[in-house]
Amino acid sequence: MIDLHCHLLPAVDDGARTVEQAVGVLREMARHGTTDVCLTPHLLASRAEAGIPPNHDAAYARLRAAAPAAPRLHRGAEVMLDRPLGRAAAKEPGVRLAGTTYILVEFPRQVAGETVRNALTHVLSLGLVPVLAHPERYSSCTTEAVRIWRDLGAKMQVDATTLLSAQGRGERARRLISEGLADLLAADNHGDVRMLATGRRMLEEHGGAHQAQLLVFHNPRAILDDAELEPVPPLPLRTSFLNRIRRLWQSPE
């Protein structure tokens, strides 16, 4: 498996606080079968013109010195589009996923669908392919909106563990999988227990081994290779499973 969204660069954002914490998570990722990880600390588009902050480089050097041999580490950023991405920022390889033409982007949770569409269109006009982090988090995330965003050329990265959530974002994440609107899964680990394998197991339990392979390996590998992604077929999720999730969340403490 290949995980292209995590916050394990120590002490630079709201993710792992120490090298030791990050190393522990990396070892656990490797134990679950993750071979490659892209470190994607938060970065505001309004501050990306100068490229990767020096403290990110220093944190990466500390982590590399202590990191296990597996998983392999790649670099990038999760760019908050608080303003249109500038041309200078778009030319910075360190802002993109492993220096490719793919860039991981996000928005505030209450962002309007039209704002997302305009921002993604602008990123594409710069010659980059936006990978929208956790679209299921946004209140404007409907299947109709996501179809529009994908038709523009953007890719959708669903958080793996959100698939097991009974909250609204969990429902939206599962709908994207059911409709074949997700392009890859990632853990979005913040120095905690969130693992890509959780989402993979869930999909396999629903007969989606092929979809899981595309979402956790083939398409992430294509991004690292700066290649085209493969469409992921729809995967109907069993009603009994969804009802079980709802009952668990509704059970009294």
Side-chain angles (χ1 to χ4, degrees):
M1 294 183 293
I2 297 174
D3 194 338
L4 297 184
H5 182 182
C6 76
H7 297 269
L8 296 179
L9 203 60
V12 300
D13 61 9
D14 58 345
R17 302 309 304 157
T18 66
V19 168
E20 293 74 18
Q21 182 182 4
V23 167
V25 173
L26 289 171
R27 293 188 188 281
E28 189 67 8
M29 286 179 164
R31 189 178 73 81
H32 283 278
T34 299
T35 61
D36 294 79
V37 168
C38 193
L39 306 167
T40 54
H42 292 294
L43 182 66
L44 294 174
S46 57
R47 298 182 180 178
E49 297 291 317
I52 296 299
N55 66 318
H56 287 201
D57 290 332
Y60 180 67
R62 294 195 303 272
L63 181 58
R64 283 285 300 176
R72 290 180 290 269
L73 298 182
H74 307 270
R75 294 188 66 183
E78 183 182 17
V79 182
M80 170 65 76
L81 295 178
D82 62 327
R83 52 157 285 179
L85 187 71
R87 292 191 178 277
K91 292 179 180 179
E92 285 287 340
V95 172
R96 309 191 297 264
L97 292 171
T100 67
T101 56
Y102 290 91
I103 182 169
L104 186 69
V105 300
E106 67 170 341
F107 296 92
R109 296 183 187 230
Q110 300 301 317
V111 65
E114 185 175 356
T115 299
V116 175
R117 182 181 62 187
N118 292 340
L120 296 178
T121 299
H122 175 71
V123 172
L124 286 157
S125 75
L126 297 174
L128 302 181
V129 180
V131 178
L132 181 55
H134 39 61
E136 67 276 6
R137 286 193 187 181
Y138 311 123
S139 58
S140 57
C141 175
T142 64
T143 53
E144 294 77 13
V146 172
R147 289 185 197 281
I148 291 171
W149 302 340
R150 294 180 81 248
D151 285 346
L152 293 172
K155 308 303 179 184
M156 301 295 122
Q157 176 263 295
V158 170
D159 280 358
T161 56
T162 303
L163 290 170
L164 297 176
S165 171
Q167 300 174 5
R169 63 183 182 182
E171 294 282 0
R172 290 191 289 268
R174 291 186 291 273
R175 194 174 304 124
L176 296 182
I177 295 293
S178 297
E179 297 289 334
L181 296 175
D183 296 289
L184 65 153
L185 294 183
D188 193 10
N189 187 289
H190 278 62
D192 48 45
V193 298
R194 283 176 277 187
M195 291 286 152
L196 187 54
T198 301
R200 179 173 194 160
R201 285 194 299 268
M202 182 267 205
L203 298 182
E204 290 174 345
E205 288 172 2
H206 286 264
H210 174 60
Q211 288 89 339
Q213 183 71 359
L214 291 173
L215 289 163
V216 306
F217 177 72
H218 181 88
N219 282 347
R221 179 74 260 173
I223 287 175
L224 291 180
D225 293 340
D226 220 354
E228 292 289 328
L229 276 57
E230 185 172 335
V232 180
L235 177 62
L237 302 178
R238 294 193 302 272
T239 303
S240 58
F241 169 83
L242 302 180
N243 288 337
R244 188 168 74 248
I245 287 180
R246 295 187 186 101
R247 286 197 300 271
L248 286 173
W249 280 80
Q250 291 168 359
S251 298
E253 293 293 338

